[in-house]
Amino acid sequence: MPTLILVRHGRSTANTAGILAGRTPGVRLDDHGRAQAEALPARLAAIPLAAAVSSPLERCRETLAPLLAARPGLAVHEEEGVNECDYGDWSGRKLSELSGEPLMEVVQQHPSAAAFPGGESMRHMHHRAAEAVRKWNARIAEEHGEDAAYVLCTHGDIIKSLVADALGLHLDLFQRISVQPCSVTAIRFTRLRPFLVRLGDTGDLDSLAPRPATGDDAGQATVGGGTGAP
């Protein structure tokens, strides 16, 4: 099955201001975030990409723009299933103000029980994102083959929840995962299980490119320090 290249959007004006942006319209990349986005094509240069998928929000589309300019034939698809969590009444508020809300402790310690006033629950966020990825895995495999890779630009909480899903972790553990702006997280899917092969990577990604098949691959170990990823 395909390899999913997850990219968190570049640093935004809301990140810099300490604001929980959520789905607030008009939140764009700041100067540093634009520089991060400009560096993305070179970081992914060695990886053949079958498609690009994006959250509908501006900061994700901005992050992918340099990559799409560098690869004119790469199709981009908007996917509502990987939109930012709907934080409802919390959207647009300062994180420093929200830290004193009783719900914030639940969000951090027991997120599977957290539902944002006027928004969605973290359980729903987790479910819709995982279903969206499964849908795209099937589509990419059917249209481009089982060994294809595709890039998906989305948001921190979405990526953390997808990593938890890939590792078989309960949603209550997903706050232990950290992904920085414009970092790359890669999950290689197989028929039986996924493999997390990058987490929050901000450096070189050439080793994610497809490898030539060798006779040794069939016997590759998956225990005792082996990579476990075909």
Side-chain angles (χ1 to χ4, degrees):
M1 293 183 70
T3 296
L4 170 62
I5 310 293
L6 288 161
V7 177
R8 186 181 174 189
H9 63 78
R11 195 177 76 180
S12 72
T13 53
N15 295 144
T16 309
I19 290 171
L20 185 66
R23 299 181 180 183
T24 304
V27 175
R28 312 298 289 265
L29 301 185
D30 66 9
D31 289 343
H32 182 68
R34 286 190 289 272
Q36 290 176 319
E38 290 291 342
L40 191 59
R43 294 175 61 206
L44 295 174
I47 307 169
L49 296 172
V53 180
S54 178
S55 158
L57 298 183
E58 295 99 322
R59 53 196 184 270
C60 290
R61 298 301 292 259
E62 277 189 294
T63 300
L64 285 181
L67 178 65
L68 298 174
R71 302 194 191 197
L74 185 63
V76 62
H77 308 271
E78 189 174 288
E79 173 55 61
E80 180 63 33
V82 295
N83 202 345
E84 176 66 287
C85 185
D86 184 355
Y87 298 118
D89 298 344
W90 280 24
S91 300
R93 293 180 60 186
K94 286 272 192 180
L95 288 167
S96 57
E97 298 172 0
L98 292 170
S99 64
E101 295 277 357
L103 178 60
M104 183 58 87
E105 186 177 16
V106 180
V107 169
Q108 294 300 318
Q109 303 296 333
H110 189 22
S112 65
F116 296 97
E120 70 178 328
S121 69
M122 301 202 89
R123 294 187 312 278
H124 180 263
M125 176 202 74
H126 176 66
H127 175 75
R128 64 172 168 81
E131 286 303 304
V133 164
R134 289 180 174 90
K135 177 189 75 175
W136 277 102
N137 283 349
R139 176 172 172 175
I140 295 296
E142 180 179 355
E143 296 179 1
H144 301 279
E146 296 286 340
D147 295 327
Y150 69 107
V151 64
L152 191 159
C153 187
T154 182
H155 308 272
D157 279 350
I158 297 291
I159 294 172
K160 288 158 56 178
S161 74
L162 291 171
V163 169
D165 183 73
L167 293 177
L169 297 177
H170 195 281
L171 183 61
D172 284 345
L173 301 179
F174 99 124
Q175 297 288 25
R176 302 183 183 191
I177 299 164
S178 176
V179 290
Q180 297 300 308
C182 223
S183 63
V184 170
T185 294
I187 302 171
R188 185 166 293 147
F189 291 88
T190 72
R191 186 174 65 87
L192 298 179
R193 55 183 173 172
F195 294 91
L196 179 66
V197 292
R198 283 290 190 284
L199 177 61
D201 197 314
T202 57
D204 178 79
L205 299 164
D206 285 4
S207 65
L208 290 176
R211 298 176 309 178
T214 69
D216 294 334
D217 288 343
Q220 185 179 21
T222 59
V223 295
T227 65

